[in-house]
Amino acid sequence: MRLLVPLPGSEAFSAQVAAAGRNVELGRLEFRRFPDGERYVRIDADPRGRPVDIVCQNADEHFLTVAFVADALRELGAGEITLVAPYLGYMRQDARFRPGEAVTSRTFARLVSSTVDRLVTVDPHLHRFASLDELYDIPCVALRAAPLIGDWIVHEVANPLIIGPDAESKQWAAEIAAKAEAPFAVLSKRRRGDREVEISVPDLGRHRGRQPVLIDDIASSGRTLTAAAEALGLQGFPAPVCVVVHPIFAGDAFAKTSEVFRRIVSTDTLPHSSNAITVTSLIAAALAGERQV
Ligand code: R5P
């Protein structure tokens, strides 16, 4: 029987993955901080001879916890150790844009690869790397949320026009549009800084009357989405619906973004009030060895 070990903050998500899986025991991690802030971890389950899945929705904050848990599991006789990181961080700094910058995608991949035996994630932000295999030295499973998002749109949005805000989003927009049997368009984005984004929209006049649905993999500052919604408004479209895979929504981004959208929903790769589409069954199936079609 597989053992699932939830890291702090990932307990509810892990319980859903365990409930959706077969032959899975939901373990428990005792976690606390010593007075100086250092971490105490104790695995409250017997991992001997079993495959173990460490579930971590915030690997940035908890990477050291992952390392401590993985080492403890090995010392206690666990079998293959998988890191389930539904949102895989450090994928956006994938090149050295200015002299002296750290290419954090590479470093993070090296650290994870030397800590666990396998990685399962959802829609990693692949831009300059074609696949995770170019970065990671361990087997990686990159699941796609597009079929789930397509289903959600079919049930929730009438007469949709699927829109990707930048060239990178074409992969998701095209797959989701096919699933929803809707047309799609891709906008052009120029990023001028962490919170400065310019979007230009091709002439979408022939789609007027449709409900725009903006799709993006990540919402962080929310500027990409708000700039896209504003640009669509200038062409006479109504406030768009928005679906994001990874709802980071840093600081007041969600409040600001909500002002220009009719509705914002996300998958539950990260816990957020906008979560409406669950990837837990997808992950349970991948852990059980089923391939996504
Ligand atoms: C970048 O290329 C991604 O696909 C997202 O569009 C981007 O990360 C969103 O960031 P923000 O919300 O800060 O504009």
Side-chain angles (χ1 to χ4, degrees):
M1 188 184 268
R2 303 190 76 82
L3 174 64
L4 218 69
V5 178
L7 263 52
S10 304
E11 293 86 353
F13 183 85
S14 303
Q16 282 193 57
V17 173
R22 288 184 307 273
N23 220 14
V24 180
E25 179 194 341
L26 180 62
R28 200 181 75 87
L29 184 76
E30 200 180 319
F31 176 87
R32 66 183 173 84
R33 300 254 181 195
F34 289 105
D36 58 6
E38 290 185 2
R39 294 150 215 248
Y40 169 92
V41 301
R42 179 178 161 268
I43 297 140
D44 193 8
D46 183 359
R48 263 176 305 176
R50 305 163 67 181
V52 183
D53 308 309
I54 301 172
V55 182
C56 183
Q57 289 181 285
N58 44 1
D60 187 6
E61 181 189 346
H62 273 297
F63 180 74
L64 265 182
T65 316
V66 172
F68 294 147
V69 170
D71 272 8
L73 285 168
R74 274 199 193 91
E75 288 162 16
L76 295 168
E80 184 184 57
I81 299 172
T82 298
L83 173 62
V84 180
Y87 168 63
L88 185 60
Y90 291 104
M91 287 300 291
R92 281 177 292 172
Q93 183 82 38
D94 54 3
R96 182 168 292 115
F97 303 101
R98 296 172 56 216
E101 284 181 347
V103 183
T104 52
S105 296
R106 279 203 187 284
T107 308
F108 190 66
R110 178 173 56 75
L111 292 172
V112 170
S113 299
S114 61
T115 301
V116 295
D117 303 316
R118 191 172 73 122
L119 173 69
V120 172
T121 188
V122 179
D123 286 321
H125 185 79
L126 292 167
H127 183 197
R128 289 173 188 82
F129 294 104
S131 92
L132 289 178
D133 299 340
E134 290 179 32
L135 280 169
Y136 283 76
D137 296 329
I138 50 175
C140 294
V141 178
L143 299 165
R144 299 179 341 273
L148 300 172
I149 294 174
D151 278 345
W152 184 89
I153 292 171
V154 166
H155 289 105
E156 298 286 333
V157 185
N159 203 20
L161 166 63
I162 310 301
I163 296 179
D166 53 27
E168 293 136 76
S169 62
K170 185 173 178 191
Q171 46 185 321
W172 298 286
E175 187 176 354
I176 291 164
K179 178 89 189 175
E181 296 183 2
F184 77 93
V186 175
L187 315 184
S188 311
K189 174 163 96 179
R190 241 183 115 130
R191 185 174 281 285
R192 299 198 174 277
D194 288 350
R195 290 168 198 276
E196 283 165 67
V197 167
E198 275 174 23
I199 297 271
S200 51
V201 182
D203 181 7
L204 298 175
R206 67 186 186 286
H207 297 303
R208 216 157 280 137
R210 286 187 172 266
Q211 170 62 54
V213 182
L214 268 158
I215 308 285
D216 209 354
D217 60 338
I218 300 170
S220 176
S221 70
R223 283 306 300 151
T224 299
L225 292 170
T226 46
E230 284 160 6
L232 287 166
L234 294 176
Q235 281 210 15
F237 282 95
V241 171
C242 162
V243 187
V244 291
V245 180
H246 307 298
I248 296 176
F249 288 115
D252 64 355
F254 187 63
K256 289 248 182 298
T257 310
S258 299
E259 288 170 11
V260 293
F261 280 90
R262 188 175 138 193
R263 189 172 176 193
I264 301 176
V265 299
S266 63
T267 80
D268 56 358
T269 59
L270 295 166
H272 191 263
S273 60
S274 61
N275 290 167
I277 302 167
T278 185
V279 297
T280 50
S281 301
L282 199 61
I283 289 178
L287 294 176
E290 293 168 29
R291 290 179 78 88
Q292 186 180 20
V293 284

